[in-house]
Amino acid sequence: MDCSPPGSSTRQNGFARLKKSFSRDVKTAKYSVLNFLPMNLFEQFQRLANAYFLFLLLLQLIPQISSLAWYTTVVPLMVVLSITAVKDAIDDVVNGLNFRHNSDVQKYN
């Protein structure tokens, strides 16, 4: 027989969910696996040079005004975006590892 007051299990489950949502863990990563590509592309196209090359790529898709093939703009843009994305991913992982290492050193010293 359950001697707990009515609704106490619901209240305890609510507190457990609340405790999980208000964790004191520090998140230092800028990206997650799910949002890396959209956030990184958004940040890269904030740069004027990348936005300019995207604009040129869109113009290259119009055959009446294009003097070159579309891939002459796509290839350099993709190379620059890929290199920058890899650099950002490495920086994000290294910064997260450095933070964890530094916090462990502070915690155990």
Side-chain angles (χ1 to χ4, degrees):
M1 182 149 202
D2 187 17
C3 296
S4 62
S8 66
S9 64
T10 305
R11 187 175 298 148
Q12 288 174 353
N13 289 340
F15 286 134
R17 277 185 269 142
L18 187 64
K19 187 175 179 181
K20 286 180 184 177
S21 66
F22 289 115
S23 172
R24 293 192 308 170
D25 295 336
V26 177
K27 180 184 171 210
T28 60
K30 189 175 186 179
Y31 306 107
S32 71
V33 175
L34 297 176
N35 72 1
F36 176 76
L37 190 62
M39 281 186 64
N40 189 271
L41 287 175
F42 177 75
E43 288 179 2
Q44 288 195 44
F45 285 118
Q46 296 282 323
R47 297 181 183 128
L48 186 60
N50 291 345
Y52 173 73
F53 278 106
L54 180 65
F55 177 70
L56 287 180
L57 171 63
L58 295 174
L59 288 177
Q60 292 292 333
L61 295 176
I62 303 172
Q64 292 82 7
I65 63 171
S66 177
S67 61
L68 299 171
W70 59 271
Y71 55 85
T72 59
T73 307
V74 170
V75 172
L77 181 62
M78 294 305 287
V79 167
V80 168
L81 293 178
S82 300
I83 290 172
T84 307
V86 168
K87 179 193 71 77
D88 288 345
I90 290 171
D91 286 346
D92 198 42
V93 170
V94 168
N95 287 337
L97 292 176
N98 284 341
F99 178 79
R100 283 189 212 109
H101 173 72
N102 290 340
S103 64
D104 287 346
V105 168
Q106 290 173 356
K107 186 188 306 182
Y108 296 117
N109 282 338

